[in-house]
Amino acid sequence: MAKTITMETAAKAQVNKNAFLPRFLRDFALNKYLYLMMVPVLAYYAIFHYAPMYGAIIAFKDYSPMKGIMGSDWVGLENFKSFFSTYYFWRILKNTVIISLYSLCFEFPAPIILAILINEVRSKVFKRWAQSITYMPYFISLVVICGMIKDFTNSGGVINTLLTYLGGDGKALLQKPELFRPIYILSEIWQKIGWESIIYIAALMSIDQEQYEAARMDGASRWKQIWYITLPGIVPTITIMFILRVGNLLNVGWEKIILLYNPSIYDTADVISSFVYRKGLLEFGWSYSSAVGLFNSVINLILLITANRISRKVNENSLW
């Protein structure tokens, strides 16, 4: 008790001593170690996220490595006009939006459902096994995952062999433009559902268990307990994750798409990020690809701000 009083007295004395300092400096004096712990994180974002933004200026230039960023000729909005007027603009924009909406409709709810199902399991042993099995695909290399998908869906693969037995045509599934999107979304769900459910399971752990006991005493079924207690308890978490997902709506996983697609399915598989990869790294169109990437980032920022504002007005949950 005496030690607690001494600590409180020392803290008050420190505040009085620094009363003339601005509010931030007073807070820093009291929590300097916490602020020091933030330094590595701030340094990471400053070096790897904010400093490279300087290079975005090449979107407005005819960039040449020999001349450098500042020495390259200024072309203004020519790269953007070229992108908006090309045939590929509407194709890749449509593909990006469709795949993103599919992901939002099917992939986003999957970990929520899994977390609720795991939470309802009474056997702790089965719960641990279910969590471990669903987590495992996330830790497999993406290159290996894509290799497995190609092997399973080629003309002699397990999936295609089964479909052929049921009356399919035997053609490799990744050679069919109409099947790329379902294959991509299903593989994303399989790979990420367990890992993304962790945050929802953690949110479920914070729900007061007395609410469930009171509901059972009132005769509420397990479905009603889920609907009236579980879901409202994790709505803030769902809202935050949804806002973040909307803010990355156009950032479709280009790595997996590049590893899976081929020219025969560009009509449905080519997205903004894969188009930037081809134009920037394979065809050396640095300025053009930077313009496309900057357009993508601006649209994502607008979506993030819009989703955050709507969420704040609807249910008072938001990022800021």
Side-chain angles (χ1 to χ4, degrees), residues 22-302:
R23 182 177 179 182
F24 171 76
L25 294 180
R26 295 201 307 269
D27 187 68
F28 180 82
L30 291 173
N31 304 288
K32 54 179 176 291
Y33 295 111
L34 294 177
Y35 281 103
L36 289 175
M37 291 174 63
M38 293 174 57
V39 171
V41 178
L42 295 176
Y44 167 79
Y45 278 96
I47 296 172
F48 297 104
H49 290 268
Y50 286 96
M53 291 176 66
Y54 162 74
I57 195 175
I58 69 175
F60 304 94
K61 293 195 169 191
D62 183 13
Y63 176 69
S64 171
M66 298 296 294
K67 297 180 180 179
I69 295 178
M70 300 308 297
S72 299
D73 298 330
W74 182 271
V75 296
L77 299 177
E78 288 302 317
N79 291 314
F80 294 92
K81 293 178 181 178
S82 177
F83 173 58
F84 295 149
S85 61
T86 185
Y87 159 78
Y88 299 106
F89 172 72
W90 292 110
R91 186 185 76 178
I92 65 175
L93 183 62
K94 181 187 72 173
N95 292 340
T96 303
V97 171
I98 291 176
I99 293 177
S100 297
L101 291 178
Y102 280 179
S103 177
L104 201 62
C105 293
F106 299 104
E107 183 188 347
F108 179 76
I112 301 174
I113 296 172
L114 177 64
I116 293 174
L117 292 176
I118 291 176
N119 185 64
E120 292 297 313
V121 172
R122 301 305 182 195
S123 173
K124 294 184 178 180
V125 175
F126 181 81
K127 184 181 294 187
R128 286 196 295 267
W129 273 97
Q131 288 178 287
S132 299
I133 292 172
T134 54
Y135 295 165
M136 286 174 61
Y138 183 81
F139 297 99
I140 301 176
S141 169
L142 183 60
V143 176
V144 175
I145 291 287
C146 293
M148 293 169 58
I149 294 172
K150 287 184 176 181
D151 288 340
F152 291 159
T153 59
N154 64 24
S155 56
V158 175
I159 298 176
N160 209 17
T161 300
L162 179 61
L163 293 176
T164 302
Y165 179 77
L166 296 175
D169 56 11
K171 184 179 179 181
L173 301 182
L174 285 176
Q175 297 292 329
K176 299 179 179 180
E178 69 276 8
L179 293 181
F180 176 81
R181 293 167 185 161
I183 291 173
Y184 177 86
I185 296 299
L186 289 174
S187 65
E188 283 285 286
I189 294 174
W190 171 73
Q191 184 180 7
K192 298 180 179 179
I193 184 173
W195 180 257
E196 292 181 351
S197 68
I198 293 176
I199 190 170
Y200 299 109
I201 293 175
L204 289 170
M205 294 296 101
S206 65
I207 298 177
D208 187 0
Q209 297 300 310
E210 292 183 359
Q211 298 184 45
Y212 292 102
E213 295 177 5
R216 284 192 292 268
M217 292 179 63
D218 290 340
S221 62
R222 295 184 70 176
W223 168 251
K224 288 186 177 180
Q225 292 177 41
I226 293 173
W227 187 255
Y228 292 106
I229 299 176
T230 303
L231 284 176
I234 62 174
V235 161
T237 304
I238 294 175
T239 302
I240 297 301
M241 298 304 293
F242 181 80
I243 293 172
L244 293 174
R245 179 62 67 92
V246 171
N248 286 283
L249 192 66
L250 300 184
N251 288 340
V252 180
W254 62 274
E255 301 96 334
K256 178 178 284 188
I257 289 180
I258 289 172
L259 291 170
L260 290 179
Y261 78 168
N262 55 77
S264 65
I265 59 173
Y266 277 174
D267 285 343
T268 58
D270 198 19
V271 295
I272 293 176
S273 52
S274 61
F275 183 75
V276 169
Y277 166 78
R278 287 204 316 277
K279 289 294 182 180
L281 297 181
L282 301 184
E283 301 180 14
F284 304 106
W286 294 290
S287 296
Y288 185 84
S289 61
S290 295
V292 179
L294 184 59
F295 162 77
N296 187 41
S297 299
V298 170
I299 296 299
N300 279 330
L301 178 61
I302 294 172

